[in-house]
Amino acid sequence: MTREQNQLRLLPSVDEALQSAGGQRLAARFSRALALRAVRASIAQARAAIQEGAPCPSLEELLTAAEKLLQEEQRPYLRELINATGVIINTNLGRAPLSREALLAVQRVSGGYSNLEYDLDAGARGSRHTHVAALLRELTGAEAAIVTNNNAAAVLLSLSALAAGAEVIISRGELVEIGGGFRVPDVMRQSGCFLVEVGTTNRTRIADYEAALSERTALLLSVHPSNFLITGFTESTPLPALAELAHRNGLLLMNDLGSGCLLASERYGLAHEPTPAESIAAGADIVCFSGDKLLGGPQAGIIIGREHAIRSLAKHPLMRALRIDKMTLAALEATLRHYQRGQAETHIPVWRMIAARPEQLAARAASWASHLQVRGIAASTQPGMSTVGGGSLPGETLPTTLLALSATVVPCSLEELARRLRTRRTPIVARILRDALLLDPRTVLEEQDEELVRALVETIK
Ligand SMILES: *Cc1c(COP(=O)(O)O)cnc(C)c1O
């Protein structure tokens, strides 16, 4: 008998392993079915290793390997990570982190029952929309408000309820693709309205809209081209002129704002991002925007505007399909409360990141670098740029200080280092630019600093 055959004969059977005290413990912790699968895999691994010349592992080693497999398998698919990219709103990374208060609100409302659709005064059925409608009216000056699952849903619902079977006039410069396959013309078709394109990519005048009006027109649509810039020889029609034209002809003006910024972005060294209050003041009848872009809340679509128009949306059958859930609603209310109390800049993570002072960021990057240097890793810092991202404020950057790990100070390629950081228990996402891996403190939550440094030391050493 060969050595290999001998060693293979020493392997316990799946049953033996499962019946052992350690096997029973695994089954009690993870279920018999999962333990069985892991023990099988562990024995198969051992068999393959023996065929490669390894000795037969002990029963204890087999069970430890099985336990490791189970722990890995039980790791959540959807999990938290550290965003060191410096892109504040990144759809792939879950967009806006929620404030502590928003998280608590979700917990409070979701662990038990709530008055989601229950009017406590009347002791009768209520509406889920009332929980945020008053706050939205107060913050934007609109007559009425309603919320959906996301802004794509808000656009679909609004057009379906207000313009199905009729014509909607939109500028050719605003037939945008937002990303993830959300194309304005496709959504318009889906809603059953007929698209009437006017003007050109770079210039659309009020006269273009006027010439396109017909008996079949229901609505003028203005879409904020949030993720790109048209510069140079450009002209777009201001909202007040569109509102005047719409109202003079008995039509509605709808404005898809995309990001929906409730603060004055220019106060933070950014270009001015149009606000919902400005759209309402300009005469728009329906204004919609996202909950998880510059608003800094949960994924949601917010629709504000004229009472009669919002009432049509509330009654539309699609409303039921696109409605917001209680966890989102709780987080949205808590986020809006921050604005109401003037705490957005200090409490909402997205705005804390935008408002972070350059010297704070420089100090954090320097502190990361010195922790690494103490452990013999020649990290350095360098000036760089963060971006807002999420299809908001394209081309706008915020000055920051980056931690730089150049290719010469790490033991593997930069791509390999980035891969190792991404595949940790708490993944870290960084960017590679030319010959360095760069990490931006702006998008790393302060409570993640320690974990980040520890991860870098473990990964590089
Ligand atoms: C982001 C965006 C949308 C889609 O919003 P979601 O909340 O992602 O569904 C629609 N319109 C514009 C202009 C946008 O920027």
Side-chain angles (χ1 to χ4, degrees):
M1 200 184 286
T2 64
R3 185 211 63 91
E4 183 186 316
Q5 282 167 331
N6 260 326
Q7 292 293 307
L8 284 175
R9 278 162 48 109
L10 292 175
L11 270 178
S13 71
V14 172
D15 246 7
E16 278 161 7
L18 267 185
Q19 292 309 325
S20 71
Q24 294 291 315
R25 269 198 303 277
L26 272 193
R29 203 170 135 204
F30 294 99
S31 89
R32 209 190 119 74
L34 290 184
L36 173 68
R37 194 162 74 195
V39 165
R40 257 198 201 125
S42 163
I43 290 176
Q45 275 176 3
R47 183 170 295 122
I50 290 169
Q51 279 156 0
E52 297 290 315
C56 178
S58 69
L59 179 63
E60 204 186 324
E61 286 168 329
L62 277 173
L63 291 173
T64 305
E67 185 182 357
K68 245 181 112 178
L69 287 173
L70 280 169
Q71 276 167 348
E72 229 150 78
E73 190 195 279
Q74 290 297 304
R75 205 164 66 175
Y77 293 123
L78 177 61
R79 54 192 205 267
E80 62 171 326
L81 58 71
I82 297 178
N83 173 13
T85 63
V87 182
I88 297 172
I89 304 167
N90 185 324
T91 301
N92 301 151
L93 303 186
R95 290 205 185 154
L98 295 178
S99 75
R100 203 178 304 278
E101 291 75 7
L103 290 173
L104 285 172
V106 173
Q107 200 172 31
R108 263 198 312 273
V109 161
S110 314
Y113 298 100
S114 69
N115 63 336
L116 178 65
E117 287 191 347
Y118 186 62
D119 183 333
L120 291 167
D121 286 330
R125 187 180 172 169
S127 156
R128 67 182 62 211
H129 300 287
T130 54
H131 304 297
V132 288
L135 279 167
L136 285 167
R137 287 199 304 267
E138 182 181 336
L139 292 169
T140 64
E143 284 176 12
I146 199 163
V147 281
T148 56
N149 181 41
N150 62 14
N151 190 31
V155 175
L156 178 66
L157 172 67
S158 302
L159 291 176
S160 302
L162 304 172
E167 289 178 357
V168 171
I169 306 179
I170 182 169
S171 160
R172 289 202 167 85
E174 299 175 359
L175 290 169
V176 297
E177 170 165 333
I178 308 303
F182 181 88
R183 288 183 163 175
V184 169
D186 294 341
V187 177
M188 293 180 71
R189 263 190 294 278
Q190 190 63 43
S191 69
C193 67
F194 299 95
L195 183 66
V196 178
E197 303 171 21
V198 297
T200 59
T201 303
N202 57 332
R203 307 199 87 183
T204 304
R205 302 179 186 83
I206 192 75
D208 296 322
Y209 288 90
E210 196 151 15
L213 291 175
S214 81
E215 258 113 72
R216 295 173 302 279
T217 312
L219 193 139
L220 308 187
L221 175 62
S222 166
V223 178
H224 180 47
S226 45
N227 57 358
F228 69 101
L229 288 174
I230 297 183
T231 56
F233 185 60
T234 66
E235 180 174 344
S236 60
T237 313
L239 228 40
L242 283 179
E244 194 276 324
L245 178 66
H247 298 157
R248 181 153 42 87
N249 290 278
L251 307 172
L252 296 172
L253 172 63
M254 173 172 160
N255 186 199
D256 174 12
L257 270 184
S259 212
C261 180
L262 295 184
L263 295 183
S265 55
E266 63 275 16
R267 283 203 357 236
Y268 303 88
L270 295 165
H272 177 70
E273 175 74 13
T275 69
E278 286 164 3
S279 298
I280 293 295
D285 303 290
I286 284 284
V287 179
C288 60
F289 51 99
S290 288
D292 55 354
K293 289 182 179 173
L294 279 171
L295 192 82
Q299 177 189 306
I302 298 167
I303 312 172
I304 56 172
R306 310 283 290 182
E307 175 100 52
H308 63 91
I310 298 287
R311 218 178 305 120
S312 317
L313 304 196
K315 287 199 309 243
H316 194 275
L318 261 184
M319 184 66 242
R320 173 59 198 262
L322 305 176
R323 75 183 182 186
I324 194 168
D325 91 307
K326 64 179 180 229
M327 292 189 271
T328 313
L329 210 39
L332 183 60
E333 178 182 349
T335 306
L336 294 172
R337 294 267 183 209
H338 290 311
Y339 288 98
Q340 188 192 33
R341 294 195 291 257
Q343 300 172 333
E345 187 187 307
T346 48
H347 286 61
I348 297 177
V350 161
W351 284 100
R352 284 174 63 109
M353 290 173 188
I354 290 174
R357 292 200 314 275
E359 58 275 18
Q360 290 173 326
L361 298 166
R364 280 175 69 204
S367 152
W368 295 354
S370 70
H371 278 97
L372 294 175
Q373 286 155 6
V374 168
R375 288 166 181 82
I377 300 165
S380 58
T381 62
Q382 65 182 57
M385 290 293 174
S386 320
T387 56
V388 174
S392 309
L393 294 162
E396 291 294 310
T397 56
L398 294 158
T400 188
T401 302
L402 305 166
L403 178 82
L405 291 160
S406 82
T408 53
V409 310
V410 299
C412 54
S413 70
L414 292 176
E415 285 74 20
E416 172 60 16
L417 176 60
R419 192 194 63 79
R420 287 186 199 169
L421 288 171
R422 274 199 318 272
T423 51
R424 287 177 54 83
R425 178 174 292 272
T426 303
I428 297 173
V429 185
R431 60 187 150 132
I432 297 173
L433 193 67
R434 286 188 286 279
D435 57 353
L437 185 87
L438 302 173
L439 297 104
D440 189 338
R442 189 185 297 274
T443 49
V444 177
L445 307 178
E446 273 168 52
E447 57 266 30
Q448 295 172 331
D449 276 8
E450 221 171 286
E451 165 72 13
L452 180 111
V453 169
R454 188 172 344 114
L456 288 172
V457 171
E458 282 173 16
T459 312
I460 296 171
K461 281 264 111 166

